[in-house]
Amino acid sequence: MAVTVLTADGREMTGCVAHSARQLASLPQARLHPLCCLSPWAVGVYAAAATLPPFAWEVGR
């Protein structure tokens, strides 16, 4: 399962649900690629990102 996160400067990063959620929670103005929003796991990325603090890997989550 992979989704693509778009950063504020236009970079695209494709990753699994867990890593994409961490990117979404940590990068300012990050968003999912519009075509990823059609995927069933896009909601999982948004839901996981909402529960994570920014840079969760630095605090051990």
Side-chain angles (χ1 to χ4, degrees):
M1 298 184 299
V3 295
T4 302
V5 174
L6 297 173
T7 63
D9 61 358
R11 290 185 298 155
E12 296 183 5
M13 296 179 283
T14 302
C16 68
V17 171
H19 287 108
S20 295
R22 288 178 177 209
Q23 291 172 344
L24 198 60
S26 301
L27 300 173
Q29 300 176 356
R31 61 195 187 284
L32 290 184
H33 190 281
L35 293 178
C36 290
C37 293
L38 301 174
S39 301
W41 47 84
V43 173
V45 172
Y46 278 115
T51 65
L52 293 171
F55 305 102
W57 57 91
E58 292 183 351
V59 293
R61 288 183 88 187

